[in-house]
Amino acid sequence: MDEFMKIAFEEAQKGYAEGGIPIGSVLVHQGRVLGRGHNKRVQQGSVVLHGEMDALENAGRQPASIYKESTLYTTLSPCPMCSGTILLYGIPKVVIAENRTFRGEEELLRARGVEVEVIDDSACYELMQKFIQEKPALWNEDIGV
Amino acid sequence: MDEFMKIAFEEAQKGYAEGGIPIGSVLVHQGRVLGRGHNKRVQQGSVVLHGEMDALENAGRQPASIYKESTLYTTLSPCPMCSGTILLYGIPKVVIAENRTFRGEEELLRARGVEVEVIDDSACYELMQKFIQEKPALWNEDIGV
């Protein structure tokens, strides 16, 4: 796991420790972390703060020029909401720890010119599997099922 | 303008009065308002709370069965982020006041089975035009330009 995915995974672990959904993310601009975050459905009762959204929110208002040189790291394949947000801001690259638990809109992202890299990290996968076994209803709620 | 789009427009006007981006939205379940909101980029420094997202956030955590019977009203054609969110939650119908100012992901929504209705309301259009003339940089930031 590279240094930025490690941060995303730390965020996921923080979310799990809080009783939340263990998905974390970090937005990186030219080697510098702009924002990090994790899913806040449980902690803030939020339906929009998936891990990726929380990382972007914590990065704050950025000019388009910055997004266009940034990479978003996420512990899980991005859902339609997070993928749409990547498209809105023109983020050119997404690094995904795993997509075995859930496969988001990777094809749509690729079709729109986003570089999508899937690492298939087992630590992120195992954390999600543990969580889903413990709280299946919460997981379903998070993906609109 | 029907009663629900009137609420979305009131939200847009509230946003304008606050010095923000005048886009409003309301989530309606079987004739009952679940949540209403408006763009919070200026007011909260938010990069994720577009009008539609704010309405969904204010509606709070809902079961999938509720989203699947709901309609989202918005004063402006939904961007990729908001469209992705509509897809995530399986909201089956979106009513759009206007898409002359900005045309979002209407085709993607239709391709995925969402019913998209465009009213072409001139009051919503004129409010956006006035705002864009006054604050073009803010508008561009909001759509990732």
Side-chain angles (χ1 to χ4, degrees):
Chain A
M1 216 191 279
D2 87 352
E3 58 169 324
F4 298 121
M5 195 56 87
K6 255 185 206 151
I7 295 172
F9 184 52
E10 279 171 24
E11 287 290 328
Q13 290 174 305
K14 204 183 291 180
Y16 182 82
E18 293 166 355
I21 299 168
I23 305 170
S25 179
V26 59
L27 182 68
V28 177
H29 178 252
Q30 298 185 333
R32 196 170 65 86
V33 171
L34 291 182
R36 50 191 288 173
H38 56 273
N39 187 301
K40 297 283 169 64
R41 180 171 296 270
V42 170
Q43 298 91 324
Q44 294 185 23
S46 176
V47 305
V48 304
L49 292 177
H50 274 188
E52 300 90 324
M53 308 293 280
D54 194 44
L56 286 160
E57 191 70 326
N58 290 334
R61 291 170 58 183
Q62 300 287 341
S65 58
I66 296 290
Y67 291 119
K68 283 174 182 34
E69 294 173 339
S70 295
T71 298
L72 187 69
Y73 291 77
T74 174
T75 59
L76 186 64
S77 184
C79 83
M81 172 173 69
C82 299
S83 298
T85 308
I86 290 161
L87 295 176
L88 170 65
Y89 289 116
I91 297 169
K93 185 173 175 180
V94 182
V95 183
I96 298 169
E98 64 110 350
N99 63 6
R100 276 188 281 162
T101 297
F102 173 83
R103 179 119 192 220
E105 294 282 347
E106 295 172 23
E107 289 320 306
L108 177 67
L109 289 171
R110 287 199 178 99
R112 300 284 182 97
V114 177
E115 186 184 341
V116 177
E117 189 183 325
V118 182
I119 292 171
D120 197 25
D121 177 81
S122 52
C124 291
Y125 174 73
E126 280 155 23
L127 180 58
M128 276 305 290
Q129 292 306 308
K130 182 165 81 161
F131 162 72
I132 291 171
Q133 206 161 26
E134 291 167 358
K135 297 176 178 170
L138 185 53
W139 166 237
N140 283 338
E141 182 190 318
D142 203 54
I143 52 169
V145 173
Chain B
M1 216 188 281
D2 86 353
E3 58 169 323
F4 298 121
M5 194 56 87
K6 256 186 205 151
I7 295 172
F9 184 53
E10 278 171 25
E11 287 290 327
Q13 290 174 304
K14 205 183 290 181
Y16 183 82
E18 293 165 355
I21 300 168
I23 304 170
S25 179
V26 59
L27 182 68
V28 177
H29 178 252
Q30 298 185 332
R32 195 170 65 88
V33 171
L34 291 181
R36 50 191 287 171
H38 56 274
N39 189 300
K40 297 282 170 66
R41 181 171 295 270
V42 170
Q43 299 91 324
Q44 296 185 22
S46 177
V47 305
V48 304
L49 292 176
H50 275 187
E52 299 90 326
M53 307 294 278
D54 193 44
L56 285 161
E57 191 70 323
N58 290 334
R61 291 170 58 183
Q62 299 287 341
S65 57
I66 296 291
Y67 291 119
K68 283 174 182 34
E69 294 173 339
S70 294
T71 297
L72 188 69
Y73 291 76
T74 174
T75 59
L76 186 65
S77 185
C79 84
M81 172 173 70
C82 299
S83 297
T85 307
I86 290 161
L87 294 177
L88 169 64
Y89 289 117
I91 297 169
K93 185 174 177 182
V94 182
V95 182
I96 298 168
E98 65 111 348
N99 63 6
R100 276 188 280 162
T101 297
F102 172 84
R103 177 116 192 223
E105 295 281 349
E106 295 172 23
E107 289 321 307
L108 177 67
L109 289 171
R110 287 199 178 100
R112 300 287 182 95
V114 177
E115 186 185 341
V116 177
E117 188 183 327
V118 182
I119 293 170
D120 197 24
D121 178 80
S122 51
C124 291
Y125 174 73
E126 281 155 23
L127 180 57
M128 276 306 290
Q129 293 305 307
K130 183 166 79 161
F131 161 72
I132 291 172
Q133 206 160 26
E134 291 167 358
K135 298 177 178 170
L138 185 54
W139 167 237
N140 283 337
E141 183 191 318
D142 203 53
I143 51 170
V145 174

